[in-house]
Structure formats: C-alpha cells, structure tokens
Amino acid sequence: MTETADTQPGWFSSEELDSVRASMPVLYVQAVPVRVDESGSVTHVGLLMRADPDGSFNRSVVSGRVLYHERVRDALLRHLEKDLGPVALPRIPSSPQPFTVAEYFPTPGVTPFHDPRQHAVAMAYVVPVSGDCQPRQDALDLVWFTPEEATSPQVRAEMPGGQGVLVRQALAYVGHAP
C-alpha cells in the first residue's frame, strides 16, 4: 500500500493515522491500470516503480486510502490521477465492481497480502486507461508489461506484499489466466 501526504479534509495527521492503524482496518482502493485493444482484450498492464524509505525499489499497482465521506469511484479517480497524471483517461463505470477484496495483515502468512504497518482492506479494480500516463507523486516510473511479462517470476519478485498475487488475480479476472 502506498502513502502520500494530502491536504484534503478527512485526512489524518501522521500521529492520528498511526493510532487508527493500531486499532482498526483501513479501507483502500487498488487499481490495476491496463491497455486494451479494440475488442476490449487486455494487451498491457501498467506497473509503477516506487522507492521505499529504505532505498529499495519495487513495482506496484495504483493504491490509496478512501477518505471519509468519499465515494469509492471518486477515490479511484483521485489515486489514478495522483499516480498516472491528469490525462491518463481512466474508464471507470459509474458503479465500479471490484475483481477482488484483498486483506492486508501486519502478520505475514495470514493471507497472501502483507503490510507491516496495518490491517487494511483493499477493493481492487481493473481499470482501462487510454491517455498519456506520466507518473507523479511518489511514483518514479510506469512500465507497460504484456500480461505474460507482468506475471513472470522476475516481475513478481519486484512486487512486495502480495502485489504479484493481485496482478495475477486481475489478469485471471479479465481472461488471462497465468
């Protein structure tokens, strides 16, 4: 799960967020950006490159918290714009349906998803984007992989916390069973 400072109402200070994370699950949205051909088949998966505080690099999908009193669709749009830029042109239906709900636990092994900071629940979506994507905020780069490349052992090794599992689930959902 990614973290970025935001000044919108409903955002917690670092101390408040630490307190919330210590006492209850936090709701996130995750988006697997894809490119599709004219028939709607997925041709590429976009994975972000991020730097961790320890200086290591990893790949991830678009991810972020849902703010108090924010619709899920609006949270998806906000995080897609934050990570992919304002002209990514995501196509999100008016009532989006997640392909899975991923539960991240601070204890490894409870589920395939792990976040040492918190227990988080993430609704995950496959989102076609057709515009020009320019990574922003804490995203250093965006690379478009074929479905086969995105599920390869080399790319999965660069995706901590179960992100590789999430991408495999997303591709299976759209008919690209790995």
Side-chain angles (χ1 to χ4, degrees):
M1 314 246 98
T2 59
E3 236 15 82
T4 6
D6 203 337
T7 57
Q8 294 185 16
W11 206 256
F12 293 114
S13 70
S14 295
E15 296 80 23
E16 291 168 327
L17 182 58
D18 288 342
S19 175
V20 168
R21 284 180 168 155
S23 59
M24 63 188 319
V26 177
L27 180 62
Y28 281 78
V29 290
Q30 292 185 299
V32 179
V34 297
R35 297 280 193 200
V36 297
D37 63 17
E38 57 280 342
S39 69
S41 296
V42 171
T43 60
H44 291 87
V45 177
L47 297 176
L48 298 165
M49 178 65 74
R50 298 184 191 278
D52 283 339
D54 67 3
S56 63
F57 295 95
N58 64 64
R59 296 201 184 277
S60 70
V61 299
V62 172
S63 179
R65 292 192 313 268
V66 177
L67 296 175
Y68 177 74
H69 213 261
E70 181 178 41
R71 292 174 30 158
V72 167
R73 185 175 190 281
D74 295 337
L76 276 167
L77 286 169
R78 180 170 56 84
H79 289 293
L80 285 159
E81 181 177 331
K82 173 186 68 80
D83 284 346
L84 303 181
V87 292
L89 304 178
R91 293 187 308 223
I92 301 173
S94 57
S95 296
Q97 299 297 312
F99 68 86
T100 195
V101 175
E103 264 192 291
Y104 288 81
F105 282 89
T107 306
V110 177
T111 70
F113 307 104
H114 172 66
D115 185 337
R117 303 167 303 163
Q118 65 188 333
H119 176 189
V121 177
M123 295 181 295
Y125 302 84
V126 175
V127 179
V129 295
S130 57
D132 183 31
C133 297
Q134 297 296 321
R136 301 175 11 167
Q137 299 280 349
D138 63 343
L140 303 174
D141 193 16
L142 172 71
V143 177
W144 292 100
F145 293 96
T146 65
E148 295 76 22
E149 292 168 335
T151 57
S152 71
Q154 297 83 8
V155 173
R156 280 195 330 246
E158 298 175 354
M159 297 177 13
Q163 295 276 300
V165 172
L166 192 73
V167 169
R168 288 172 59 98
Q169 289 176 338
L171 288 169
Y173 178 76
V174 295
H176 282 281

